[in-house]
Amino acid sequence: MTITELCTKRAKAWEAAKAFLDSHRTEKGTLSAEDDATYIENNRCKRTLTKSPPGTSSLGLEDC
């Protein structure tokens, strides 16, 4: 997978996370405990797309 493909995949994950927050926030702007756990898990997957493999230099994905 190329850096461009990884950036695209990360951008799609970010948009999905934003859409999730927008559709699951209460009137007070908070999430239920269940929705919060789901968001945290989805965000963990996005961070995984940003990390460089051990023993390699940064791929620059933090800036995607």
Side-chain angles (χ1 to χ4, degrees):
M1 185 174 284
T2 67
I3 290 176
T4 301
E5 291 168 331
L6 286 171
C7 286
T8 300
K9 191 171 183 177
R10 184 176 184 274
K12 287 179 183 179
W14 176 249
E15 291 301 321
K18 287 188 337 188
F20 180 86
L21 287 175
D22 289 344
S23 66
H24 288 83
R25 281 191 184 122
T26 66
E27 291 178 5
K28 294 181 180 181
T30 60
L31 297 174
S32 69
E34 182 179 328
D35 289 339
D36 185 53
T38 300
Y39 178 78
I40 289 170
E41 176 60 23
N42 289 342
N43 199 37
R44 182 191 60 78
C45 293
K46 182 175 63 79
R47 283 192 314 266
T48 300
L49 293 173
T50 304
K51 291 182 180 177
S52 297
T56 63
S57 61
S58 173
L59 297 175
L61 295 176
E62 297 83 4
D63 299 327
C64 291

